[in-house]
Amino acid sequence: MKFITNLTFITIAVLALGCETSQKKYKDPREHDSAMKSAYDMQSKIPHAVTADVETVPVNSPVDADAADDPAIWYNAEHPEQSIIIGTDKKAGLYTYNLKGEQLDYVAVGKVNNVDVRRQSIVNGDTLTLVAASNRTHHNVSIFTMDSLGKLSEIKMPQEILLDDSYGFCMYQDTASTPYFIMNSKDGTIKQFALTLKEDQSGELSLVRDFSVPSQPEGMVADDATGILYVGEEAKGVWKVDLTNADSKMEFIAATAIENNDALVADIEGIAIYKTGEKTGYLIASSQGNFSYALFSLETEEYLKSFKIIDGAVDGVEETDGLEVCNMPIGDQYKKGILVVQDGFNYDGDSLKAQNFKIISWEKIQNIIDQAI
């Protein structure tokens, strides 16, 4: 029933909008019903499956809008069950949610695409919880402080263009707890910025360094312990660079090459890392073209397994953009932490709803990893 509903919805949308209907290799699957069928067919070949535990309320955008995009997770060390999920609506603004999926706050700051968060960031001697997102309305970064209730307070920033097309984004926090803001654009440019707070508590970003990859990137994640930045090049795979070494160059991680792994289908979208030790753990990447997720070893960089998220207590997940993980225990329900993913086709039964985010116990994913090793 879900697939039939997808076909009906997409066919009507194409007829109504007069969109291009020819299928192209790296086109968004929602643009043509045959691409949706192909993506489902490829997903069926992924043997491992999990179900989501909880879902957030949908974003307040139209049902047919590709709106929700990227989540971040703020871990509440004192009360883990009160940890907070932050999610972007790339048509409108930024949301915060509790672990029941209920909305806590919303700020209409424009077309924020990717989001990240850091606890105990030190800026000008002040210790802050910082939330930041790439903003495609202003082509810069929107930065906020956040309290333990999920209330966002924006730091006033100059309305200057930092990149011609601000797109993917992540944060990095060094061993001195200094936060950095890393943003990319569709032409492959990647820039790292540092934040300065003025006496009036407004902010200013200064360029630290820049990098590039050959074609369009988006998903990025920085390992604060090792200083390694991972960058997803959508049509190829994942690159890495050492942020602690000014002379370091981008290196491609061979096991992530789409052309050499049938389980990976472009685009490579959201990426995140789940740490099990200082230099060990897992890199997880959204394989958008076959509605699945690929797991790699951080230590050996080898491919481990892929899995999909299917219908269960809540609906399954298709066409994920952003994702994030938390490796800390969050009560009895999430003893090994959580994975949060954006859902490109959010259903309530057979009714298509606006997009949202799904929460999955990492214990389910760890069981798959343990089978792979």
Side-chain angles (χ1 to χ4, degrees):
M1 289 296 290
K2 175 183 283 189
F3 181 61
I4 292 172
T5 308
N6 274 334
L7 293 183
T8 303
F9 164 68
I10 293 168
T11 302
I12 291 171
V14 169
L15 289 174
L17 299 176
C19 296
E20 174 63 47
T21 60
S22 61
Q23 182 181 350
K24 298 180 181 179
K25 186 173 182 181
Y26 295 126
K27 296 292 281 184
D28 185 338
R30 76 176 59 247
E31 294 181 7
H32 197 279
D33 55 4
S34 66
M36 285 294 296
K37 184 178 186 303
S38 175
Y40 277 120
D41 286 345
M42 289 185 286
Q43 187 199 49
S44 70
K45 298 174 184 177
I46 303 295
H48 299 287
V50 300
T51 57
D53 295 272
V54 176
E55 63 182 341
T56 67
V57 295
V59 297
N60 190 27
S61 282
V63 170
D64 61 347
D66 183 22
D69 194 89
D70 189 48
I73 304 167
W74 176 76
Y75 180 70
N76 187 327
E78 294 184 359
H79 304 285
E81 69 283 356
Q82 295 176 21
S83 297
I84 292 168
I85 294 167
I86 306 135
T88 62
D89 179 340
K90 60 190 174 188
K91 306 297 185 185
L94 196 61
Y95 291 87
T96 60
Y97 309 93
N98 62 26
L99 293 179
K100 296 178 182 179
E102 300 165 334
Q103 181 180 324
L104 299 174
D105 196 17
Y106 171 73
V107 286
V109 290
K111 299 177 180 179
V112 285
N113 201 51
N114 287 182
V115 65
D116 210 348
V117 61
R118 287 297 186 274
R119 300 171 57 246
Q120 298 181 330
S121 294
I122 298 177
V123 183
N124 294 16
D126 294 328
T127 301
L128 307 167
T129 292
L130 293 178
V131 173
S134 53
N135 192 316
R136 301 189 73 193
T137 298
H138 304 295
H139 303 293
N140 57 22
V141 180
S142 293
I143 304 177
F144 309 82
T145 59
M146 187 180 74
D147 66 19
S148 61
L149 299 178
K151 180 69 174 177
L152 295 164
S153 299
E154 188 172 9
I155 296 174
K156 185 178 179 181
M157 304 291 293
Q159 292 302 308
E160 59 181 331
I161 294 176
L162 299 177
L163 280 174
D164 289 339
D165 188 4
S166 58
Y167 198 50
F169 175 83
C170 75
M171 292 179 66
Y172 163 60
Q173 190 157 291
D174 67 14
T175 54
S177 297
T178 302
Y180 295 92
F181 306 82
I182 304 170
M183 186 164 58
N184 64 49
S185 62
K186 288 188 174 183
D187 66 0
T189 301
I190 304 163
K191 293 187 177 184
Q192 177 185 355
F193 300 92
L195 174 66
T196 301
L197 288 180
K198 302 178 182 179
E199 290 185 5
D200 64 359
Q201 294 304 300
S202 64
E204 187 173 44
L205 292 175
S206 57
L207 181 65
V208 176
R209 64 189 292 193
D210 52 26
F211 324 90
S212 65
V213 293
S215 66
Q216 180 174 321
E218 184 175 4
M220 299 189 296
V221 62
D223 186 335
D224 292 350
T226 64
I228 300 298
L229 172 69
Y230 298 90
V231 180
E233 184 184 2
E234 292 189 347
K236 183 174 182 179
V238 180
W239 297 77
K240 67 176 184 177
V241 66
D242 187 350
L243 295 175
T244 68
N245 181 355
D247 297 323
S248 63
K249 306 296 183 183
M250 282 284 179
E251 299 177 39
F252 186 70
I253 301 175
T256 70
I258 292 172
E259 62 182 1
N260 297 329
N261 190 332
D262 291 340
L264 299 175
V265 183
D267 290 350
I268 297 297
E269 288 280 342
I271 58 175
I273 51 176
Y274 182 98
K275 298 297 292 289
T276 58
E278 184 177 350
K279 296 183 178 180
T280 60
Y282 311 104
L283 174 72
I284 178 171
S286 166
S287 176
Q288 194 177 64
N290 62 350
F291 304 159
S292 69
Y293 310 86
L295 295 158
F296 303 87
S297 165
L298 282 180
E299 187 174 15
T300 66
E301 297 184 349
E302 66 180 325
Y303 169 73
L304 300 176
K305 289 285 183 180
S306 291
F307 67 94
K308 55 195 172 187
I309 303 172
I310 60 174
D311 290 346
V314 297
D315 64 301
V317 179
E318 295 86 14
E319 203 185 55
T320 288
D321 284 318
L323 54 79
E324 185 58 283
V325 296
C326 174
N327 66 346
M328 302 297 290
I330 305 176
D332 292 336
Q333 186 175 8
Y334 304 120
K335 294 180 180 179
K336 294 185 178 181
I338 57 174
L339 165 69
V340 180
V341 304
Q342 180 261 2
D343 186 4
F345 289 89
N346 173 38
Y347 281 86
D348 182 4
D350 290 329
S351 298
L352 185 65
K353 303 294 184 181
Q355 295 176 340
N356 69 349
F357 302 93
K358 302 294 198 282
I359 304 172
I360 302 97
S361 169
W362 186 265
E363 196 165 8
K364 298 175 181 179
I365 297 148
Q366 190 65 53
N367 289 338
I368 293 171
I369 294 171
D370 292 341
Q371 294 174 33
I373 298 174

